[in-house]
């Protein structure tokens, strides 16, 4: 039996304590979420004067819309690439930072500060660095014989977006990996050192398996990041250009809802995203449950 | 030899992260003409911090209210308000969940828990409608409150309270402590490091908000510096002589406060990040 | 003397499990030092916490100083408790830790100051009053925890394994301090421990618990010399009592595990017979029971000799300089039913033995 917290006798006090949180989430979470579900079944005229119930028509339209399918695929590919690349880079850096003795603290600070940079700020910065008039990178690419043009070439635009998203995401992963590495008991590392000569073999047979829970958990975090928090990045860097080739699902909700004023479709997209996140979270929780026993 | 390779990899990583920032900063000290003619610069220019003075004092919008200072102030309000509000609300809620046997406890728990599932981005349009119905557009309250409607910090404090030894509460009960007193006299002081850690994270998250302020503020006096970047972008795009120097200065200004906070409070920041995601 | 604390028919169940405490009764005299002892899960902590009011009991009643406190809040019971992990408020200084309960009870500043200083002086922690608990050693924290209980001048002290976080040497020292302090203050005390040495040295009376039930209540002497059951006999006393299964052959003759037949006194008529002999009640010069020596543990003043009777281990404690022997005799022994764990045989024998000792 796990020890249960001693409970306080209570009257109205605990309700007063929990009330602010409940009110805020009721008003700003449950109400809007319910509205989104509701609106996804409605068709509103362009002036917002009348709306009628249309069942799953908004969903049906979405699934037959090739641009939505493209956005879906782009989002998945983009998210997985960003997650995998940034995880791999971060792991490499964390392992190295954990093994060097000199300047460890400085490395940690220098490799984590980017966490504090807003995606929108990163996006705008990247806009100038990749800019074809003044940017250094497009220049460099051109010199290498690559006619780099993110304004017209979907591959170039995606490449640029992924690079910046990775830049932004490496520090978070680095922090978690380093924390994971440092939580491996020293005695265990020493035992491994006695049992196994080769550095790389030791890493793959001892360290990496021990980091596996962290890695899996980070993968989920990274996917969520690539799904949602890259909004600011996309809005400042490509705005979905060229021709919607870099539009993620979240960006499309915003585009269709706010810029296109198609509330029904935008809401249906929101609901689909909710389901996606639900699935991701379910996976994450099954995993966390296992992690407790790890 | 191996040591050298390790350091080499780490330095490459540091450069990968640092170079863009360096490039933008150094270029911001050049004249616009130089930038238009020769592109981004690798060495400091002649203008010093003049672009920053312009960015801080010049207004970008039409009303003249959205100066750099004003935007920084708004971002500060947003970061502080969000962090403080979130800490207060979630500490109180977590206290009620962990320390009392409420008849509806599991319902409350799941209600709060559900908010973790859906980021604001997903319900952005109906959220806008609600805030608009409540008359909270163009207000700090409207900027901050909907962002607090997620339970990350509540879970963080819930985890922490669970690690507080039961005996402390029992000793307090024997010392004639009531529920409010226990919270204020014992639990809050005990949570100080936790509060500091979560504060750092939440301040950065609040400061860095982009989409939400973009959507719900139409008055320039509420523009935050991060969403103000959008104006810079269109100015640069539309101008004949794009004010690159000011744009670069704005980028640096927008990232400087949260980056400094993270660097200065590195220990708490790492703790907050690692703990809050558990 | 009045009964200071009276517990009757206390039952505590957690959820639908078997009761953790089943019908516990205890009457404590004023100034008495009672030790509840037993293995983990025996219900001793539950009883203590029920007295404190930290557990709501399933049924039964508790009265303190003539007042029924069964349903009172902990703070209203006029008790103080010392916790296993001390439960000092880490963000408060030692002074504030001691003063906090008094402040919450509305004592005035001068009164608080006087009580804290007095307790601190008695515990010799006056120098540490401005410090935080973090800056104290284990023993010092222990004193502070006691101080926090003392300043309240309660009708009853409760100790929940207060010494188990200390190292062996400090534990022995603090044990003595607690005993001295309790005698000096004369406050009725209930002390919970799983360490039978603590129980023997501290208690006026010991309550031995097992599986939520009382096995025996008695003075340390009674518990040692006249254990009521196999469990008490095996739990109390170091090194532990030896037990050998024997077969009664009639006419006070038993067969030992090594097939030897032996004539003993008052052999009960029982199918599942167990003989219990304390290691210190074995005569190395009596040539009655054949043994093989396995191992000797040197303890300085005495030594433990681990032997074997047939397949069964037998430990001998002696301070004689003898290391080699092949037969021993039992000076004193007890009979038990190995099935029920009950003590067999008449108590007259015991009284004789006690009188002889």
């Amino acid at each position: 039996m796990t020890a249960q917290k001693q409970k306080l006798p209570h009257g109205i006090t605990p309700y007063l304590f929990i009330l602010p949180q409940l009110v805020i989430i009721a008003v700003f979470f449950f109400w809007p979420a319910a509205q989104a579900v509701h609106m996804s079944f409605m068709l509103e005229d362009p002036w917002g004067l009348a709306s009628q119930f249309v069942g799953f028509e908004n969903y049906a339209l979405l699934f037959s819309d090739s641009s939505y399918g493209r956005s879906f695929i782009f989002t998945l590919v983009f998210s997985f690439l960003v997650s995998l690349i940034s995880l791999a880079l971060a792991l490499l850096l964390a392992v190295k930072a954990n093994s060097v003795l000199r300047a460890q603290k400085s490395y940690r600070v220098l490799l984590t500060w980017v966490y504090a940079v807003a995606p929108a700020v990163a996006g705008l910065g990247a806009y100038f660095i990749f800019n074809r008039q003044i940017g250094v990178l497009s220049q460099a690419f051109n010199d290498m014989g690559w006619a780099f043009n993110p304004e017209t070439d979907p591959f170039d635009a995606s490449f640029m977006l992924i690079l910046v998203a990775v830049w932004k995401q490496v520090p978070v992963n680095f922090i978690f990996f380093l924390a994971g590495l440092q939580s491996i008991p020293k005695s265990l590392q020493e035992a491994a050192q006695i049992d196994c000569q080769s550095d790389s073999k030791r890493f793959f047979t001892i360290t990496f398996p021990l980091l596996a829970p962290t890695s899996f958990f980070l993968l989920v975090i990274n996917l969520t990041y690539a799904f949602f928090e890259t909004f600011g990045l996309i809005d400042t860097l490509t705005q979905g250009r060229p021709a919607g080739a870099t539009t993620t699902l979240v960006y499309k909700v915003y585009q269709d809802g706010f810029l296109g004023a198609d509330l029904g479709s935008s809401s249906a997209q929101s609901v689909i995203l909710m389901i996606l996140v639900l699935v991701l979270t379910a996976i994450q929780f099954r995993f966390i449950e296992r992690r407790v026993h790890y | 030899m191996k040591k050298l390779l390790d350091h080499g990899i780490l330095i490459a990583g540091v450069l990968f992260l640092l170079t863009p920032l360096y490039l933008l900063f150094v270029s911001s000290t050049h004249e616009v003409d130089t930038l238009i003619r020769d592109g981004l610069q690798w060495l400091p220019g002649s203008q010093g911090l003049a672009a920053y003075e312009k960015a801080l004092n010049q207004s970008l919008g039409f009303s003249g209210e959205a100066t750099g200072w004003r935007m920084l102030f708004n971002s500060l309000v947003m970061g502080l308000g969000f962090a403080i509000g979130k800490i207060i609300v979630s500490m109180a809620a977590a206290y009620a969940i962990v320390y009392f046997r409420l008849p509806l406890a599991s319902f409350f728990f799941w209600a709060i828990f559900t908010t973790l599932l859906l980021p604001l981005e997903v319900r952005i349009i109906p959220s806008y409608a609600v805030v608009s119905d409540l008359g909270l557009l163009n207000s700090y309250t409207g900027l901050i409150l909907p962002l607090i409607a997620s339970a990350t910090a509540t879970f963080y404090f819930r985890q922490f309270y669970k690690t507080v030894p039961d005996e402390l509460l029992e000793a307090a009960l024997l010392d004639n402590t009531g529920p409010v007193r226990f919270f204020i006299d014992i639990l809050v002081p005990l949570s100080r490091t936790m509060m500091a850690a979560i504060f750092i994270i939440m301040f950065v998250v609040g400061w860095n908000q982009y989409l939400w302020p973009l959507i719900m503020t139409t008055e320039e006096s509420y523009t935050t510096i991060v969403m103000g970047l959008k104006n810079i972008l269109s100015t640069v795009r539309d101008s004949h002589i794009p004010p690159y120097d000011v744009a670069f200065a704005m980028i640096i200004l927008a990232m400087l406060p949260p980056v400094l906070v993270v660097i200065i409070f590195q220990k708490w920041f790492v703790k907050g990040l690692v703990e809050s995601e558990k | 003397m009045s009964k200071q604390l009276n517990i009757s028919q206390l039952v505590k169940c957690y959820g639908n499990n078997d009761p953790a405490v089943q019908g516990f009764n205890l009457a404590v005299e004023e100034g008495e030092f009672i030790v509840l002892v037993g293995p983990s899960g025996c219900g001793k902590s539950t009883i203590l916490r029920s007295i404190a009011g930290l557990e709501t009991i399933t049924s039964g009643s508790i009265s303190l100083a003539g007042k029924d406190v069964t349903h009172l809040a902990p703070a209203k019971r006029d008790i103080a408790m010392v916790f296993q992990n001390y439960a000092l408020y880490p963000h408060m200084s030692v002074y504030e830790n001691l003063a906090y309960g008094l402040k919450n009870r509305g004592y005035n500043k001068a009164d608080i100051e006087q009580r804290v200083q007095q307790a601190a002086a008695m515990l010799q922690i006056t120098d540490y009053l401005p410090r935080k608990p973090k800056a104290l050693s284990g023993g010092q924290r222990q004193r502070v925890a006691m101080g926090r209980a003392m300043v309240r001048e309660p009708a009853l002290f409760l100790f929940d394994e207060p010494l188990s976080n200390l190292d062996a040497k400090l534990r022995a020292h603090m044990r003595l301090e607690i005993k001295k302090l309790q005698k000096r203050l004369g406050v009725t005390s209930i002390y919970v421990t799983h360490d039978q040495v603590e129980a023997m040295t501290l208690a006026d009376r010991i309550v031995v618990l097992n599986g939520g039930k009382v096995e025996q209540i008695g003075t340390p002497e009674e518990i040692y010399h006249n254990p009521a059951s196999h469990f008490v006999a095996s739990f109390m006393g170091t090194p532990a009592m030896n037990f050998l299964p024997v077969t009664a052959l009639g006419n006070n003759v038993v067969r030992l595990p090594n097939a030897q037949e032996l004539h003993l006194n008052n052999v009960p008529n029982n199918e599942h017979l167990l003989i219990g002999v304390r290691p210190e009640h074995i005569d190395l010069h009596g040539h009655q029971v054949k043994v093989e020596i396995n191992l000797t543990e040197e303890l300085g003043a005495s030594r433990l000799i681990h032997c074997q009777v047939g397949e069964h281990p037998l430990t001998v404690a002696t301070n004689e300089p003898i290391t080699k022997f092949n037969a021993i005799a039992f000076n004193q022994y007890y009979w038990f039913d190995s099935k029920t764990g009950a003590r067999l045989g008449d108590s007259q024998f015991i009284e004789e033995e006690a009188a002889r000792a």
Side-chain angles (χ1 to χ4, degrees):
Chain A
M1 193 182 77
T2 50
Q4 187 169 18
K5 261 238 150 15
Q6 171 74 29
K7 300 289 177 173
L8 282 158
H10 64 81
I12 195 167
T13 327
Y15 294 98
L16 293 178
F17 271 93
I18 205 171
L19 194 67
Q21 173 110 56
L22 287 181
V23 169
I24 289 176
I25 64 172
V27 174
F28 296 109
F29 182 84
F30 283 106
W31 181 239
Q35 286 280 305
V37 175
H38 174 75
M39 281 194 286
S40 74
F41 294 109
M42 307 295 280
L43 185 65
E44 205 168 83
D45 68 53
W47 298 277
L49 295 175
S51 61
Q52 66 175 113
F53 182 76
V54 293
F56 284 94
E57 199 183 305
N58 288 320
Y59 293 92
L61 277 173
L62 270 183
F63 289 125
S64 61
D65 176 4
S66 68
S67 77
Y68 190 71
R70 236 182 20 201
S71 163
F72 207 102
I73 290 164
F74 173 74
T75 309
L76 289 185
V77 173
F78 171 74
S79 302
F80 272 99
L81 284 176
V82 170
S83 303
L84 293 180
I85 298 170
S86 61
L87 281 172
L89 278 178
L91 181 58
L92 175 71
L93 290 170
V95 168
K96 296 303 172 199
N98 193 40
S99 73
V100 300
L101 296 173
R102 287 180 57 141
Q104 200 182 35
K105 257 194 181 143
S106 314
Y107 281 130
R108 207 176 69 183
V109 172
L110 286 169
L111 289 168
T112 53
W113 63 271
V114 171
Y115 170 84
V117 177
V121 176
L124 189 65
Y127 171 79
F128 292 116
I129 288 168
F130 283 98
N131 190 290
R132 293 179 68 214
Q133 275 84 53
I134 62 165
V136 288
L137 272 181
S138 35
Q139 196 77 54
F141 291 148
N142 284 330
D143 292 347
M144 280 156 39
W146 175 8
F148 184 79
N149 190 349
E151 298 276 326
T152 58
D153 187 328
F155 177 84
D156 293 357
S158 309
F159 172 84
M160 171 174 78
L161 217 48
I162 288 168
L163 189 62
V164 183
V166 166
W167 180 83
K168 177 74 188 80
Q169 194 60 7
V170 163
V172 185
N173 295 333
F174 172 78
I175 292 167
F176 277 99
F177 275 131
L178 193 61
L181 284 167
Q182 284 171 346
S183 72
I184 297 176
K186 215 173 159 91
S187 57
L188 208 148
Q189 290 169 347
E190 286 165 349
Q193 248 161 17
I194 292 166
D195 287 339
C196 177
Q197 281 267 314
S198 148
D199 272 2
S200 59
K201 198 168 172 201
R202 208 164 59 231
F203 175 78
F204 284 109
T205 53
I206 308 286
T207 315
F208 192 70
L210 287 173
L211 280 181
T214 310
S215 313
F216 187 80
F217 151 83
L218 275 179
L219 180 65
V220 178
I221 299 266
N222 277 267
L223 289 175
T224 319
Y225 156 81
F227 263 55
F228 298 104
E229 275 161 53
T230 48
F231 176 91
L233 188 63
I234 294 169
D235 197 42
T236 45
L237 196 50
T238 67
Q239 288 97 32
R241 275 188 298 261
T246 57
T247 307
T248 59
L249 292 174
V250 172
Y251 198 68
K252 201 165 160 55
V253 170
Y254 163 78
Q255 269 190 328
D256 292 354
F258 261 91
L259 309 179
D262 185 353
L263 283 185
S265 172
S266 168
S267 301
Q269 293 177 35
S270 288
V271 173
I272 292 172
L273 272 175
M274 289 183 198
I275 294 166
L276 267 175
V277 181
L278 228 69
V279 171
L280 266 181
T281 315
I283 295 171
Q284 186 182 350
F285 259 76
R286 277 203 58 162
F287 154 73
I288 281 176
E289 220 127 273
R290 278 197 294 135
R291 192 165 70 145
V292 174
H293 303 290
Y294 190 79
Chain B
M1 198 50 215
K2 194 187 150 287
K3 282 264 147 64
L4 227 60
L5 181 69
D6 285 358
H7 283 280
I9 289 171
L10 286 168
I11 288 165
V14 168
L15 288 179
F16 170 61
L17 296 178
L18 214 53
T19 312
L21 179 70
Y22 170 81
L23 205 55
L24 290 174
F25 175 71
V26 168
S27 299
S28 74
T29 62
H30 282 269
E31 282 181 55
V32 181
D33 296 345
T34 322
L35 294 170
I36 292 173
R37 198 174 57 239
D38 301 330
L40 294 178
Q41 298 297 308
W42 288 98
L43 294 169
S46 57
Q47 298 302 298
L49 298 178
Y52 293 83
E53 213 184 313
K54 262 192 267 173
L56 285 171
N57 295 317
Q58 216 174 55
S59 168
L60 288 157
F62 307 101
S63 63
E65 280 179 88
T67 61
W69 283 120
R70 178 78 203 183
M71 289 192 281
L72 282 173
F73 174 77
N74 287 337
S75 288
L76 188 70
V77 171
M78 180 112 176
L80 289 178
F82 175 67
I84 293 168
K86 192 142 180 161
I87 286 172
I88 291 173
V89 166
S90 47
M91 278 186 84
Y95 178 58
I97 290 173
V98 173
Y99 280 93
F100 296 86
R101 197 173 284 127
L102 298 180
L104 291 172
S106 58
F107 168 75
F108 291 151
F109 178 78
W110 284 104
I112 293 173
F113 174 76
T114 316
T115 62
L116 290 181
L117 305 183
L118 304 174
L120 182 64
E121 283 83 356
V122 179
R123 53 195 155 85
I124 195 89
I125 291 160
S127 294
Y128 171 81
V130 167
V131 171
S132 152
D133 288 347
L134 291 174
L136 291 175
L137 294 180
N138 294 312
S139 73
Y140 290 126
T141 318
L143 267 173
I144 293 164
L145 272 189
L147 293 169
I148 294 178
S150 114
T152 42
T154 312
F155 278 80
Y156 174 85
F157 282 113
R158 176 174 161 268
Q159 290 301 100
F160 171 65
Y161 290 161
K162 283 181 155 184
T163 67
V164 174
D166 271 3
E167 285 84 352
L168 227 47
L169 171 64
E170 293 173 352
L173 285 176
L174 293 174
D175 275 344
N176 204 20
T177 314
V180 179
R181 256 224 127 93
F182 177 70
F183 183 68
I184 294 167
D185 281 358
I186 314 281
L187 216 46
V188 171
L190 275 183
S191 311
R192 273 182 308 206
T193 22
M194 302 292 141
M195 287 160 75
I198 205 86
F199 180 87
I200 305 294
I201 301 291
M202 292 304 156
F203 175 79
V204 170
V205 170
W207 179 284
N208 284 349
Q209 285 301 316
Y210 176 72
L211 177 58
W212 179 244
L214 193 65
I215 282 171
M216 70 138 293
T217 58
T218 47
E219 280 172 28
E220 283 174 0
S221 56
Y222 285 100
T223 308
T224 66
I225 189 138
V226 174
M227 65 169 279
L229 295 177
K230 181 127 184 162
N231 301 342
I232 281 280
L233 183 63
S234 44
T235 314
V236 167
R237 280 207 168 134
D238 300 341
S239 322
H240 216 57
I241 306 165
Y244 287 127
D245 58 338
V246 177
F248 299 162
M250 285 281 288
I251 290 173
I252 303 288
L253 286 175
M255 70 167 82
L256 204 57
V259 167
L260 282 180
V261 164
V262 162
I263 290 174
I264 294 168
F265 303 107
Q266 172 84 193
K267 222 173 95 188
W268 285 342
F269 151 69
V270 171
K271 183 182 171 66
L273 191 66
V274 175
E275 298 275 326
S276 67
E277 294 286 6
K278 263 184 190 159
Chain C
M1 262 208 269
S2 65
K3 295 279 183 263
Q4 177 73 356
L5 173 71
N6 215 322
I7 302 169
S8 86
Q9 286 304 318
L10 190 155
V11 175
K12 172 69 189 182
C13 305
Y14 292 101
N16 295 324
N17 301 325
D18 285 342
V21 178
Q22 359 190 335
F24 178 75
N25 293 297
L26 183 68
V28 182
E29 313 249 325
E30 189 162 356
E32 221 181 343
F33 199 124
I34 300 283
V35 175
L36 308 182
V37 68
S40 67
C42 71
K44 55 189 191 297
S45 286
T46 307
I47 293 170
L48 192 79
R49 294 165 52 79
S50 300
I51 300 170
L54 296 169
E55 302 274 359
T56 28
I57 61 177
T58 312
S59 65
S61 71
I62 301 166
S63 71
L64 181 60
K67 200 170 73 167
D68 183 11
V69 298
T70 316
H71 301 291
L72 282 188
K76 304 266 182 290
R77 292 191 180 197
D78 200 16
I79 49 135
M81 186 155 163
V82 179
F83 293 88
Q84 179 173 4
N85 63 6
Y86 318 138
L88 300 177
Y89 308 120
H91 57 292
M92 295 184 189
S93 69
V94 170
Y95 185 95
E96 290 167 322
N97 262 286
L98 297 189
Y100 187 62
L102 299 174
K103 216 171 76 190
N104 286 344
R105 287 186 165 77
Y107 285 80
N108 68 43
K109 267 216 164 112
D111 215 6
I112 294 176
E113 170 78 22
Q114 189 242 327
R115 280 172 178 240
V116 171
Q117 290 298 350
Q118 196 185 344
M122 204 180 284
L123 291 162
Q124 300 165 334
I125 51 171
T126 311
D127 292 347
Y128 309 128
L129 283 177
R131 292 207 201 158
K132 293 268 171 72
K134 215 168 39 190
L136 300 179
S137 70
Q140 290 162 347
R141 285 181 209 183
Q142 175 60 52
R143 287 163 194 271
V144 176
M146 302 223 305
R148 189 168 62 179
M150 277 166 54
V151 288
R152 299 245 319 277
E153 297 173 9
L156 182 65
F157 270 155
L158 303 173
F159 296 89
D160 188 5
E161 309 213 12
L163 302 182
S164 59
N165 285 355
L166 301 177
D167 64 53
K169 201 172 162 193
L170 200 53
R171 200 181 312 154
H173 176 71
M174 287 307 292
R175 203 166 63 206
L176 203 66
E177 298 253 317
I178 289 180
K179 179 136 187 169
K180 272 197 270 181
L181 205 65
Q182 196 266 344
K183 290 288 164 246
R184 189 163 152 196
L185 297 171
V187 181
T188 317
S189 303
I190 314 281
Y191 187 106
V192 159
T193 181
H194 63 265
D195 178 349
Q196 50 93 16
V197 177
E198 259 171 49
M200 294 295 282
T201 51
L202 284 172
D204 292 330
R205 278 195 298 155
I206 295 176
V207 179
V208 185
L209 289 155
N210 186 28
K213 286 195 208 126
V214 172
E215 291 274 343
Q216 188 172 5
I217 301 180
T219 63
E221 292 77 20
E222 282 167 353
I223 299 275
Y224 178 80
H225 289 292
N226 194 5
S229 65
H230 176 225
F231 175 82
V232 175
S234 64
F235 192 76
M236 302 299 288
T238 37
M241 190 186 275
N242 297 295
F243 296 96
L244 298 171
V246 297
T247 319
L249 302 171
N251 293 328
N252 283 339
V253 176
V254 293
R255 186 184 296 125
L256 296 173
N258 60 359
Q260 216 186 329
E261 288 179 12
L262 187 64
H263 187 275
L264 292 166
N265 293 330
N266 303 321
V267 179
N269 209 355
N270 195 289
E271 247 187 291
H272 314 283
L273 202 55
L274 210 55
I275 186 171
V277 190
R278 293 207 183 272
E280 55 272 33
H281 294 160
I282 291 175
D283 179 5
L284 301 183
H285 308 287
H287 302 281
Q288 288 184 359
V289 181
K290 281 185 209 134
V291 296
E292 288 166 53
I293 298 175
N294 285 337
L295 193 73
T296 302
E297 278 185 278
E298 190 63 50
L299 300 176
S302 66
R303 60 175 62 84
L304 296 180
I305 304 166
H306 299 278
C307 321
Q308 226 170 307
V309 178
E311 294 290 292
H312 286 265
L314 181 89
T315 306
V316 179
T318 180
N319 45 19
E320 293 180 68
I322 298 175
T323 49
K324 286 215 163 52
F325 51 86
N326 49 29
I328 48 108
F330 303 146
N331 280 344
Q332 198 177 323
Y333 41 90
Y334 307 85
W335 301 104
F336 302 94
D337 182 322
S338 65
K339 265 267 162 64
T340 62
R343 169 84 182 279
L344 301 171
D346 47 12
S347 55
Q348 199 190 341
F349 160 75
I350 303 300
E351 275 155 28
E352 278 169 29
E353 289 291 333
R356 211 176 63 189

